[in-house]
Amino acid sequence: VPNNSTASPPPPPVANMGCSHSKPKAHAAKLVAKIREEEEAEVKQNPKMSLVEAVHHVGISVNDLTATLGFFVDALGYDIAGEVPDYPAVFVSNGHSFITLWKADDDAHKFDRRKNVGLHHLALSVGSDEDLDAVYERVQDYPGVKVEFKPELLMGGPARHFIFHEPSGNRIEVVYWP
């Protein structure tokens, strides 16, 4: 057999990982099945353990899709992620949150947080007190926006927040929680 120095060395032998046979794929499958069984048992023992990881997106019905879309893009810095013109809906994202804006029928009534069941408000977080103040500066004079209250301490602090209604009337809170 010629000595070929460029040939790769043979792969190392596969350990049987403590199983009685030498089929690592079968053993790996058994390990995965055992882990799944343990996870299922944990969920059964702790039924309050949430399987939900996070909010995927929030859908908001709006009466003025153009104005609300402009607000999310211009004042809050979101990007348009897609749209369905026939629906009509536009999807916006800032890389951390994903929001669907749906055009409501022209005769739709405004949500009254005290008289209707539904989304009370959307809360958006910022990374600092300075960011909270900067968002407030952008929002307070934006056309169609009504500020409910300016930045203030939340529950005595140190968190701060403010609430406003975007151009279609949906209630939005911006909060900084250190």
Side-chain angles (χ1 to χ4, degrees), residues 50-86:
S50 178
L51 299 176
V52 176
E53 294 178 298
V55 173
H56 181 269
H57 73 277
V58 174
I60 303 173
S61 294
V62 300
N63 63 356
D64 189 337
L65 185 56
T66 302
T68 299
L69 174 61
F71 172 76
F72 271 87
V73 171
D74 298 336
L76 297 181
Y78 279 68
D79 293 317
I80 297 173
E83 62 183 311
V84 180
D86 294 341

Side-chain angles (χ1 to χ4, degrees), residues 56-58 60 68-82 90-101 122-126 135 138-139 142 164 166 172-174:
H56 181 269
H57 73 277
V58 174
I60 303 173
T68 299
L69 174 61
F71 172 76
F72 271 87
V73 171
D74 298 336
L76 297 181
Y78 279 68
D79 293 317
I80 297 173
V90 179
F91 312 103
V92 295
S93 178
N94 66 357
H96 300 286
S97 59
F98 191 84
I99 299 173
T100 304
L101 305 172
L122 173 65
L124 304 172
S125 65
V126 296
V135 172
R138 287 186 188 179
V139 164
Y142 195 89
F164 63 94
E166 54 82 24
I172 298 178
E173 176 183 26
V174 179

Side-chain angles (χ1 to χ4, degrees), residues 9-131:
V14 177
N16 70 11
M17 300 162 71
C19 61
S20 60
H21 52 78
S22 60
K23 296 182 180 174
K25 286 184 181 179
H27 182 67
K30 285 183 180 181
L31 285 175
V32 169
K34 183 176 181 184
I35 291 169
R36 285 187 181 145
E37 285 176 19
E38 290 172 357
E39 288 173 346
E40 289 173 6
E42 174 68 23
V43 171
K44 287 178 184 174
Q45 289 176 356
N46 186 2
K48 292 188 178 198
M49 184 173 130
S50 178
L51 299 176
V52 176
E53 294 178 298
V55 173
H56 181 269
H57 73 277
V58 174
I60 303 173
S61 294
V62 300
N63 63 356
D64 189 337
L65 185 56
T66 302
T68 299
L69 174 61
F71 172 76
F72 271 87
V73 171
D74 298 336
L76 297 181
Y78 279 68
D79 293 317
I80 297 173
E83 62 183 311
V84 180
D86 294 341
Y87 200 67
V90 179
F91 312 103
V92 295
S93 178
N94 66 357
H96 300 286
S97 59
F98 191 84
I99 299 173
T100 304
L101 305 172
W102 280 288
K103 170 71 173 88
D105 290 340
D106 291 334
D107 62 346
H109 66 278
K110 297 230 180 198
F111 178 79
D112 181 330
R113 67 185 176 94
R114 297 187 189 273
K115 295 180 181 176
N116 301 107
V117 174
L119 183 68
H120 182 269
H121 70 280
L122 173 65
L124 304 172
S125 65
V126 296
S128 69
D129 262 332
E130 294 79 16
D131 290 346

